[in-house]
Amino acid sequence: MVSAMEIYMLLPKTNCKKCGVATCMAFAVGLLGRQKKVDECTPLIEEKKYEAKLKKLREVMAPIEKASETGLIIHPEKCFGCGNCVVACPVNVAAEPTRTAVGLGPEGEKVILRVEDGVVVVNNLKECKRFGPSGTLCNACTATCPSKAIEFV
Amino acid sequence: MAICTGCSLLCEDIVASFENGSLKHAKNLCRKGHGHFQAAFTERTRPMIDGEQVTIDKAVERAAEILKSAKSPLLYGWSNCTEEAQSEGIALAEKLGATAEATIACTTSFCEGILMERVLSGKIETCTLDDVRNYADTSIFWGSDPSSSHPRHLSRFSYYPRGEKRQRSYEEERTCIAVDVRRSPTAQLCSNYYFRLPPGGDLPFMEAILAVLDGKIPKVADKKKMIELATVLKKTEWGAIFPGPGLIYSLQDKMELFEQLLARLNEITPFKVVPMVADCNARGFNELLFEKTGHASSVSFNGGSAAYGPEHSVLAAAKKCDAVLAIGSDPLSELPIGTARALAHQPIIAIDPRRSLTTDAAKVVIPSALIGLEAGGTAVRMDGVKIKFEPVMNSELLTDEQILARIMEAV
Amino acid sequence: MAEVEVVVVAVRDIFQDEAGRKSLFSEEYKSLSALIILDKQDMAGLAVKDGDKLLAKNDAGSIVVAARASKDDAKEAHPGLAFMCSSPWYNQLVSDDSCQGSVKATLAPTAEAITAISEIQARMKS
Ligand code: SF4
Ligand code: SF4
Ligand code: SF4
Ligand code: SF4
């Protein structure tokens, strides 16, 4: 995952405040946290000399923009389909105590993570412990993944 | 529900649907298993003799002729066949052995066989993977990388699921240790307890563990980490060791040291061993042959008696055989070049659902039904649990067992 | 030209395994099998970068494979130790002694093409 610093390097670094925050660094942090959008930095969009930077910035931002509200991103192309995250996720465990909790593939629709066609898929993200303002810092799915196929932004 | 024959975990919770000659949707198959299911629709074989397509009857007839006239046939593979087919194969080797020297060997005869033989004879204590899930608080992946080879091992049994005595599982109760030459995907998950060894470093490492367990200073660079390991081992209530190729290679003539280590660990607390065999029914063949002959992975039948030893090994047999029956494996892909070349120069009968290096080089190719998908039967999971299954796809193809029975009749 | 001696350890990789299950004769399987993972130091010693071709040889045989730098960090550097997936390519370097998890080989940069599976098949028949 890109860092705020890497994003900052792709901004105009003029601290002109047109984006509504005090500094380019603050804007970079906003982008990473998804409170800000690339298009709000108008100099970057309008001035031709920033063209290459803009292109690169859009590239690095693509996965972040795709991220769900909990900040969860999956990379199916990296996934082993091992089911570690499926069995470790506390919501999955509570939903299927006789299946997912003991290592079997989930049967019902209440789970968040499951493996289909050889890779992980995500449903019911609203149930995720990280969801919403009162969310907790659960990381059971990323910590048990052998391939970094799940990430949080 | 279908079972997956992609590896020796034989996962039984697979939901798969097929449509117009392809896999439409699958639940719970790992990436490897998914590739394995898709393989049903690519590179399928047809009956052939000398590169010409023939009827299945002709191919079977020709196979029987070749085997009947051979003086020292080698029947190799078996690890991806049902137990029913394996029994038929052993019977065929015995029958051929009445008038010739017939060697039957499976894919574990190069490596895992020696460890499996100790397990089957009870010299090394073993357990089921369900026991591991229910009781184990320490698991050691030694020279094995299940995340790559048996992808659902950690999630179904050894690390993440809850078990009878392990309700707080990986969060609080289980420790996993990886001993390997590189930080494999499995080793990454065991982050605090990853021990990196140089190739061949297993024996000194065993000596170091024995030393720290006895309170002596181990002869290793990172003494502190070794002492931490000893603490984990001593606190273990129920331990499991999963030796993979990385360790088994080192054990070839040093089994005593490993047994000594196990004996020492078992003085502290139960430590069981489950060899990480690769293919879906490798263990089944080991068990059947062991029951019959006292040897797990290869024997020669000659004039009614079974012989075992270096001169009857696959390597020896490959060098002197005058016909090869390859089934349930692809020896030309899997064996060292010298051995593969020796086999490629003999008439090969390849019984295989799919094209391989062996079917390409074979004199006779006999297509068979895919185990688990098109052929039902019994297979033995890596931990000795027998699993019965029904086919999940329709197929006109003969099963391995049926093909072998027809050859048997004709020789 | 630069030459480096390494011990090549056979490893497993789920993506290579998956490709092989679909077809042993595919480009994908070749590109994941005819691939050697080297320490950065050895890459430098050979003056190669990712994707450059190397001739690997020993008494058992020889193959042309692509080089790739290992992702291990400096703390876990492994000069002299290389990794390849178990495959017909790796087996070209294995002598007939049974049960070998690693082999010694000499590496040198080459302009030759990556060894094709058809070439391996032809060698077996020769
Ligand atoms: S609008 Fe762009 S250049 Fe101006 S402060 Fe914000 S990020 Fe920096
Ligand atoms: S963050 Fe926790 S609750 Fe959310 S999907 Fe991952 S494991 Fe489940
Ligand atoms: S996301 Fe990671 S843990 Fe989950 S199935 Fe894929 S590889 Fe396994
Ligand atoms: S772990 Fe093995 S048996 Fe289970 S789905 Fe994956 S390949 Fe199939």
Side-chain angles (χ1 to χ4, degrees), chain A residues 89-91 112-113 128-130 138 140-141 152:
Chain A
C89 170
V91 175
I112 299 178
L113 301 159
C128 173
K129 303 252 179 204
R130 299 174 71 96
C138 178
C141 50
F152 300 121

Side-chain angles (χ1 to χ4, degrees), chain C residues 19-98:
Chain C
R21 273 163 205 266
K22 289 187 205 155
S23 174
L24 297 173
F25 304 93
S26 65
E27 276 302 311
E28 192 189 3
Y29 184 59
K30 181 173 96 171
S31 67
L32 294 170
S33 302
L35 180 70
I36 191 163
I37 313 286
L38 292 173
D39 189 71
K40 294 177 193 86
Q41 227 172 294
D42 293 329
M43 296 281 284
L46 287 160
V48 292
K49 51 183 189 337
D50 278 6
D52 285 356
K53 287 168 289 176
L54 292 173
L55 176 71
K57 65 166 190 248
N58 62 15
D59 291 346
S62 70
I63 34 162
V64 178
V65 295
R68 178 176 295 170
S70 149
K71 291 201 181 74
D72 292 346
D73 58 26
K75 209 174 69 211
E76 286 182 0
H78 50 83
L81 194 60
F83 303 105
M84 271 184 82
C85 288
S86 307
S87 76
W89 284 266
Y90 174 77
N91 284 333
Q92 299 302 300
L93 300 175
V94 183
S95 68
D96 278 357
D97 304 308
S98 63

